[in-house]
């Protein structure tokens, strides 16, 4: 699979992955899995309805 990302997005992914102690490829796979399973949520939407 090939995916085109901006340099800034790639750097952000690598930074988040490092903070989580994961390879960035694993982080991307996890994000995609959660999205396809309906488990990925927008935290800003959650805040709007007062759940956080």
């Amino acid at each position: 699979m090939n995916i085109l990302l901006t340099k800034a997005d790639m750097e952000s992914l690598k930074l988040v992955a490092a903070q989580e102690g994961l390879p960035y490829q694993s982080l991307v796979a996890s994000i995609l899995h959660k999205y396809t399973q309906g488990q990925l949520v927008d935290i800003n939407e959650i805040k709007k309805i007062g759940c956080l």
Side-chain angles (χ1 to χ4, degrees), residues 1 3 6 9 12-14 24 27 29 33 40-41 50:
M1 172 184 198
I3 186 168
T6 65
D9 285 342
S12 294
L13 275 170
K14 287 182 177 182
Y24 73 90
L27 176 63
H33 174 75
L40 193 64
V41 296

Side-chain angles (χ1 to χ4, degrees), residues 17-30:
Q19 292 170 343
E20 296 294 323
L22 297 169
Y24 73 90
Q25 298 97 329
S26 297
L27 176 63
V28 171
S30 175

Side-chain angles (χ1 to χ4, degrees), residues 4 9-10 14 16 25-26 30 32 36 41-42 44 49-50:
L4 297 175
D9 285 342
M10 190 69 200
K14 287 182 177 182
V16 172
Q25 298 97 329
S26 297
S30 175
L32 290 172
T36 61
V41 296
D42 183 343
N44 293 319
I49 60 173

